[in-house]
């Protein structure tokens, strides 16, 4: 029988630093909940809003797969690997921190906030050479389809990471239904509703709610309103 966990938007940890407003689905920084440390290999899911012209100064990471998905605005990235890039709305960025990197992230626009999802996934291979990648998320050929934006395979659509994880993004019209098959045994899926309302196997989810499901082969998503959803398919046993 499928196991599930519901994390409503209002139950998330909150940090307000003035220039940064962040909601933490899982324990992060000063927010700690022993029941919400991770979902399998998914360690961090932060819903960040950075004020115009502000950002994160140089800071280190190691042995973590770090994914950013831009929702509104432009995020300016610089790192110790020599990469300098703008992450635009509708793009996904990944860094394999591996043996260690330093980077900065700033809002390129001085007048408007930038909104993005910051996601950390535990790698299945430690101390790799750090790497960076960034791609535009392609629109599906047909409406109400899921688009793969991340996988373990460099040849596949989207970016890739050092983990048996698959991310899919879907923009669904009200009344539409999509079926999702979990990629491999011992993986689970964490569904995050970016916008709108959906039902997952009958469980109603509103904007910014998260829902984890495992010990199952798959599930069905039905859009109760026009919606955008992110599905993160990750190993449950590390």
């Amino acid at each position: 029988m499928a196991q599930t966990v519901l994390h409503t938007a209002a139950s998330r940890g909150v940090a307000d630093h003035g220039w940064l407003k962040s909601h933490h689905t899982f324990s992060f920084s000063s927010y700690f909940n022993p029941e919400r440390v991770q979902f399998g290999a998914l360690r961090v899911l932060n819903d960040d809003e950075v004020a115009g012209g502000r950002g994160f100064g140089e800071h280190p990471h190691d042995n973590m797969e770090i994914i950013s998905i831009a929702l509104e605005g432009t995020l300016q990235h610089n790192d110790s690997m020599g990469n300098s890039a703008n992450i635009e709305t509708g793009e996904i960025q990944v860094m394999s921190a591996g043996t260690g990197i330093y980077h900065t992230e700033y809002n390129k626009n001085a007048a408007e906030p930038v909104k993005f999802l910051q996601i950390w996934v535990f790698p299945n291979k430690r101390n790799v050479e750090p790497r960076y990648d960034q791609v535009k998320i392609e629109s599906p050929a047909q409406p109400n389809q899921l688009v793969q934006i991340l996988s373990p395979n460099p040849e596949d659509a989207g970016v890739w990471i050092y983990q048996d994880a698959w991310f899919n993004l879907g923009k669904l019209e009200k009344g539409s239904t999509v079926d999702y098959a979990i990629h491999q045994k011992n993986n689970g899926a964490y569904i995050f509703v970016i916008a709108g309302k959906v039902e997952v196997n009958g469980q109603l989810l509103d904007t910014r709610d998260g829902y984890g499901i495992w010990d199952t082969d798959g599930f069905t998503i039905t859009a109760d309103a026009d919606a955008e959803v992110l599905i993160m398919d990750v190993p449950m046993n590390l």
Side-chain angles (χ1 to χ4, degrees), residues 63-138:
N63 288 311
M64 192 67 72
E65 304 296 296
I66 301 170
I67 301 108
S68 296
I69 301 174
L71 302 178
E72 294 181 25
T74 302
L75 194 64
Q76 189 172 21
H77 167 94
N78 290 280
D79 63 44
S80 54
M81 295 178 280
N83 297 298
S84 180
N86 294 324
I87 307 161
E88 305 280 355
T89 302
E91 293 186 327
I92 180 171
Q93 172 222 54
V94 65
M95 290 188 299
S96 296
T99 54
I101 59 164
Y102 287 83
H103 77 129
T104 63
E105 305 278 357
Y106 280 89
N107 183 350
K108 187 173 177 63
N109 190 322
E112 300 291 338
V114 63
K115 298 179 182 180
F116 67 103
L117 300 179
Q118 179 186 170
I119 302 164
W120 296 6
V121 175
F122 288 115
N124 57 15
K125 187 176 182 182
R126 292 180 59 83
N127 296 323
V128 299
E129 182 180 351
R131 54 175 287 272
Y132 177 93
D133 197 12
Q134 174 183 341
V135 301
K136 181 177 176 58
I137 297 169
E138 298 298 330

Side-chain angles (χ1 to χ4, degrees), residues 40-224:
L42 177 60
R43 173 61 188 89
V44 168
L45 174 53
N46 287 351
D47 185 1
D48 288 346
E49 178 178 331
V50 177
R54 302 296 298 274
F56 302 91
E58 188 174 68
H59 59 282
H61 294 283
D62 67 81
N63 288 311
M64 192 67 72
E65 304 296 296
I66 301 170
I67 301 108
S68 296
I69 301 174
L71 302 178
E72 294 181 25
T74 302
L75 194 64
Q76 189 172 21
H77 167 94
N78 290 280
D79 63 44
S80 54
M81 295 178 280
N83 297 298
S84 180
N86 294 324
I87 307 161
E88 305 280 355
T89 302
E91 293 186 327
I92 180 171
Q93 172 222 54
V94 65
M95 290 188 299
S96 296
T99 54
I101 59 164
Y102 287 83
H103 77 129
T104 63
E105 305 278 357
Y106 280 89
N107 183 350
K108 187 173 177 63
N109 190 322
E112 300 291 338
V114 63
K115 298 179 182 180
F116 67 103
L117 300 179
Q118 179 186 170
I119 302 164
W120 296 6
V121 175
F122 288 115
N124 57 15
K125 187 176 182 182
R126 292 180 59 83
N127 296 323
V128 299
E129 182 180 351
R131 54 175 287 272
Y132 177 93
D133 197 12
Q134 174 183 341
V135 301
K136 181 177 176 58
I137 297 169
E138 298 298 330
S139 298
Q142 301 292 329
N144 304 312
Q145 299 290 316
L146 298 174
V147 176
Q148 181 176 286
I149 62 172
L150 177 148
S151 80
N153 307 308
E155 298 82 10
D156 282 0
V159 296
W160 67 275
I161 64 171
Y162 289 101
Q163 186 53 271
D164 293 325
W166 290 261
F167 287 12
N168 278 262
L169 195 64
K171 292 186 178 181
L172 310 177
E173 297 170 336
K174 181 179 180 180
S176 64
T177 296
V178 293
D179 295 320
Y180 183 84
I182 291 176
H183 274 76
Q184 64 181 28
K185 184 177 174 61
N186 297 322
N187 269 28
Y190 195 87
I191 302 102
F192 184 71
V193 184
I194 296 172
K197 296 182 181 182
V198 302
E199 291 182 36
V200 178
N201 288 1
Q203 172 65 57
L204 181 62
L205 303 176
D206 211 331
T207 299
R208 271 17 189 215
D209 286 350
Y211 189 62
I213 184 167
W214 68 102
D215 289 346
T216 185
D217 293 330
F219 50 89
T220 299
I221 300 178
T222 301
D224 285 5

